[in-house]
Amino acid sequence: MRIILMGPPGVGKGTQAVTLESHLNVPHVSTGDIFRALLRTEDPIGIEVRKYLDHGLLVPDELTNQVVTTRFREQDVHKGFIFDGYPRNVFQAESFDKFLKEHNWTIDAVVNIAAPDEDIIKRLSGRRVCPTCGKTYHLESNKPKVDTLCDVDQTPLIQREDDKPETIKKRLAIYHDQTKPLIEYYSKQGLVITIDGTGTIEKTHDLTIKALGEIK
Ligand SMILES: [Zn+2]
């Protein structure tokens, strides 16, 4: 199966990708991993990418598309994949479609794990971390034993900048801006499956498997 996984930050997309990978027996491919692997080599595409990263610049879409296709030199993705973090916009999606078409491959589904912004803000803003040992907590689902002190070393817990409601709202706004046209693009191809991501990890996984089973 060839799947593209989408979902806002904080919806648990990474966790779902891992469970889906073992369930469907196809590799979970994240663009972050492809970039890191490529940068370890002397591949000309990697050298080109490094020029941008060294200057703190965003890698252009054209180059990102090339980077992604390098992953297809490895056989494991020929039987299927779960793509995560790509395509990020319509231009990348069109280019990826073209690449797939050249190889007579098609996407089976675009799995869109969705949850209302308020849910995500509530989930993420409850996270706390111990600045001493790095242990993480959640004020609702994984509370420290005493007040807001670390169980291990009693250090007062802190909230990471990334977990503050204002930061989460900004990230969500960017996500929606980028994703809306992409969802429309894949909806026109009849590929989008929206999964309710508000429940537990297991529940979301079950819903995903059930929905994928129906398209087979
Ligand atoms: Zn601690």
Side-chain angles (χ1 to χ4, degrees):
M1 261 193 148
R2 299 185 196 93
I3 292 169
I4 291 169
L5 198 57
M6 294 189 3
V11 83
K13 186 162 60 87
T15 313
Q16 293 301 328
V18 172
T19 52
L20 265 185
E21 178 177 39
S22 58
H23 189 96
L24 299 173
N25 195 28
V26 292
H28 164 217
V29 179
S30 84
T31 35
D33 290 343
I34 307 177
F35 272 99
R36 276 187 289 276
L38 195 63
L39 289 173
R40 282 195 294 266
T41 68
E42 288 302 312
D43 189 284
I45 299 173
I47 292 167
E48 189 65 25
V49 167
R50 196 174 287 124
K51 284 185 202 159
Y52 287 91
L53 298 183
D54 285 350
H55 290 89
L57 299 169
L58 212 65
V59 179
D61 285 336
E62 205 91 51
L63 190 54
T64 301
N65 293 334
Q66 283 185 330
V67 168
V68 168
T69 58
T70 64
R71 182 64 179 80
F72 285 84
R73 291 172 192 165
E74 285 160 63
Q75 291 291 323
D76 62 335
V77 287
H78 293 193
K79 63 171 179 177
F81 52 76
I82 302 158
F83 253 43
D84 168 9
Y86 180 89
R88 213 175 269 281
N89 55 47
V90 173
F91 178 80
Q92 291 185 356
E94 284 170 346
S95 161
F96 192 44
D97 270 354
K98 206 171 142 231
F99 171 80
L100 292 171
K101 208 174 169 192
E102 280 164 15
H103 294 81
N104 276 322
W105 288 325
T106 49
I107 297 289
D108 293 295
V110 174
V111 175
N112 179 31
I113 302 174
D117 284 3
E118 308 82 71
D119 269 51
I120 288 169
I121 293 164
K122 205 175 150 199
R123 246 192 254 184
L124 292 184
S125 62
R127 295 208 291 212
R128 294 293 182 275
V129 61
C130 169
T132 305
C133 69
K135 193 170 153 66
T136 56
Y137 298 84
H138 194 283
L139 298 184
E140 280 177 24
S141 54
N142 182 21
K143 287 185 203 170
K145 289 193 184 83
V146 185
D147 299 326
T148 52
L149 302 177
C150 178
D151 293 348
V152 182
D153 46 42
Q154 283 74 50
T155 309
L157 302 176
I158 58 161
Q159 187 177 38
R160 266 189 290 243
E161 201 55 48
D162 263 6
D163 295 335
K164 291 187 174 155
E166 283 319 303
T167 316
I168 303 165
K169 277 182 202 163
K170 272 185 209 152
R171 284 166 65 202
L172 285 170
I174 293 168
Y175 175 79
H176 293 309
D177 262 9
Q178 283 186 334
T179 316
K180 223 177 145 211
L182 204 51
I183 300 270
E184 280 165 16
Y185 175 83
Y186 284 121
S187 292
K188 280 183 200 146
Q189 300 184 29
L191 291 175
V192 178
I193 296 175
T194 300
I195 302 291
D196 174 11
T198 57
T200 60
I201 292 170
E202 292 77 21
K203 175 88 183 152
T204 305
H205 175 73
D206 291 346
L207 289 172
T208 308
I209 293 303
K210 191 168 173 280
L212 289 176
E214 282 162 9
I215 61 156
K216 260 183 201 165

